[in-house]
Amino acid sequence: QVQLLESGGGSVQSGGSLRLSCIASGVPFSTTLMGWIRQAPGKEREGIAGIDGGTATVYADSVKGRFTISQDSAKNTVYLQMNSLQPEDTAMYYCAAVLKYTGWGWPLDQLSAAGHRGQGTQVTVSS
């Protein structure tokens, strides 16, 4: 059974940083695309960062250069380091997993549609 538990959200001022963590259970990291998605009120869910096999990473243009995804397989944990946060980053952030990922298709779209998601952690950025 897949379980994803996020933590690390909070409220920061513009320009600040946060690090989100996702502890995953029941997930074989070697064959799973792990990532982060977010959803702001009134907006569509957005896949923002993905990591495949612990090395290959992909980012949405909206966060590229500011956010970094990483994975610690020994701790079954995926991280999202978020720097230079802006008010438009305010959203609920979810950890997501695509099991048996084949590498085909656009990974961020697959993450945003993933059936395995955590409960989410709120990130609020004030100007």
Side-chain angles (χ1 to χ4, degrees):
Q1 182 180 0
V2 174
Q3 290 187 324
L4 305 172
L5 180 63
E6 306 97 335
S7 63
S11 297
V12 296
Q13 290 190 329
S14 181
S17 298
L18 286 172
R19 188 176 82 154
L20 306 184
S21 299
C22 170
I23 300 176
S25 59
V27 175
F29 273 6
S30 61
T31 58
T32 300
L33 172 67
M34 296 295 300
W36 293 90
I37 60 178
R38 68 185 181 185
Q39 188 163 22
K43 294 188 176 181
E44 292 188 355
R45 191 181 304 145
E46 176 188 20
I48 58 170
I51 186 166
D52 175 20
T55 54
T57 59
V58 60
Y59 298 94
D61 289 343
S62 57
V63 305
K64 195 175 296 181
R66 300 186 298 124
F67 291 10
T68 302
I69 188 170
S70 61
Q71 180 175 298
D72 186 336
S73 298
K75 296 182 178 179
N76 295 323
T77 302
V78 177
Y79 303 97
L80 185 68
Q81 177 66 43
M82 306 187 294
N83 298 328
S84 302
L85 283 162
Q86 301 299 317
E88 52 265 35
D89 295 315
T90 295
M92 185 70 80
Y93 284 70
Y94 301 88
C95 181
V98 178
L99 275 62
K100 298 181 181 179
Y101 179 62
T102 63
W104 289 96
W106 183 238
L108 295 183
D109 287 345
Q110 295 191 44
L111 283 168
S112 66
H116 298 294
R117 294 193 299 272
Q119 294 299 307
T121 185
Q122 178 68 37
V123 171
T124 302
V125 185
S126 58
S127 57

